[in-house]
Amino acid sequence: MKKKLIIDVDAGVDDAVAIMIALSMPDVEVLGITCCNGNTSVENVLKNVLRVLKICNRLDIPVYRGCSKPLVARTIHASDYFGTDGFGDVPDPHAPSLDLVQKKKAEQAIIDFVNENPGEVMLVSTAPLTNLAVTVQLDPTLSKKLKALFIMGGNTESRGNTTMCGEFNFVADPEAAYIVLDRYTCPTYIATWEFTCRNSLPWKAQSPEFRDTNPLGCEFDLCDAYAMAAAVNADIDADINNFITESVEVAVTVELEGTYTRGMMVLDYMHKLKKEHTVFIMKKVDLEMFQEMLINAVK
């Protein structure tokens, strides 16, 4: 039986790669792709997802419009990283029409897919967690019917990439991240910012001269793709994941009030939260397997 996925994105180049990995796996069925404000506006995210699906000849996969702004936080985008449109501002005169976007809202689509396939659906989020937070508020029983949740976001050592202590997806909507980590009690796996930095891949095509003069530019980090790689290689029933070679299991939450730490993920090694639900924080993965998956995704 194929693994059933819902993918929640704010595409984003690395979101695009994550989608392509899922589409390249013969034992994976992508039920739908939900879109959220994040790297760029939700309008651009919808366009970018449709562009990816067109290139992959998979415009049959339904795409859904989600939240256009955070629950409470000020809206931020990653225009300095992925360009104003999320795809490096590369023109695409033949991009698919937004008329292809489904009329149903993303949150309702997630609820319907899960209710139609109870215990079978894995949800992969590579975006701010706004859509997921709204979804669980609409259906508080959703988490009990999900097979697993995979997230790219958060951090483990206060090392930020947007604020001093915060990773982009969590900083973009801290309240949503807090709600998701509090109310989703299904098996949960998180690829954090520091983890992805430590598991970067080399730019093999670079010349020796470039590597010698640019020692910090010899690796690339497709953050969102790690969460997807973990999802498509997961055997949740058998508690096996050939991709993840080392992880730590711990209860987590998100700081909402700190001046410098708002949006930072907090790991409760001292058991102060008294939470029954713990998550798996990825530490190491099979990089050879990851590289092979990336190659297959773009063939």
Side-chain angles (χ1 to χ4, degrees), residues 23-197:
L23 297 181
S24 70
M25 303 295 288
D27 63 340
V28 169
E29 178 185 2
V30 178
L31 300 177
I33 301 176
T34 55
C35 299
C36 181
N37 173 82
N39 282 320
T40 184
S41 70
V42 71
E43 293 290 323
N44 285 334
V45 175
L46 290 163
K47 294 175 184 176
N48 293 344
V49 170
L50 290 172
R51 288 170 67 180
V52 173
L53 294 180
K54 179 182 178 182
I55 290 172
C56 297
N57 295 315
R58 290 305 309 273
L59 282 171
D60 57 298
I61 295 174
V63 178
Y64 301 89
R65 182 190 305 269
C67 296
S68 60
K69 61 182 180 180
L71 297 180
V72 177
R74 174 179 59 87
T75 300
I76 61 173
H77 291 137
S79 57
D80 58 337
Y81 196 80
F82 286 123
T84 57
D85 74 343
F87 268 14
D89 299 309
V90 177
D92 185 357
H94 304 295
S97 168
L98 287 181
D99 291 341
L100 294 172
V101 175
Q102 303 294 308
K103 303 303 180 186
K104 185 185 294 186
K105 291 287 289 182
E107 300 86 351
Q108 191 59 52
I110 294 172
I111 291 170
D112 290 347
F113 280 131
V114 173
N115 284 331
E116 291 163 6
N117 304 275
E120 297 181 24
V121 177
M122 294 191 292
L123 180 53
V124 183
S125 178
T126 60
L129 294 166
T130 317
N131 286 345
L132 274 62
V134 172
T135 300
V136 79
Q137 291 180 92
L138 291 173
D139 183 357
T141 69
L142 181 85
S143 176
K144 297 178 181 178
K145 294 172 281 190
L146 269 177
K147 194 175 189 70
L149 171 62
F150 292 81
I151 295 170
M152 190 281 132
N155 49 10
T156 54
E157 302 164 9
S158 312
R159 177 181 174 180
N161 62 9
T162 303
T163 61
M164 283 190 289
C165 296
E167 177 275 333
F168 177 83
N169 283 342
F170 279 29
V171 170
D173 199 337
E175 281 73 20
Y178 178 92
I179 289 170
V180 169
L181 295 181
D182 187 59
R183 301 187 192 177
Y184 280 74
T185 56
C186 57
T188 303
Y189 302 79
I190 302 179
T192 66
W193 167 241
E194 295 101 334
F195 153 77
T196 65
C197 291

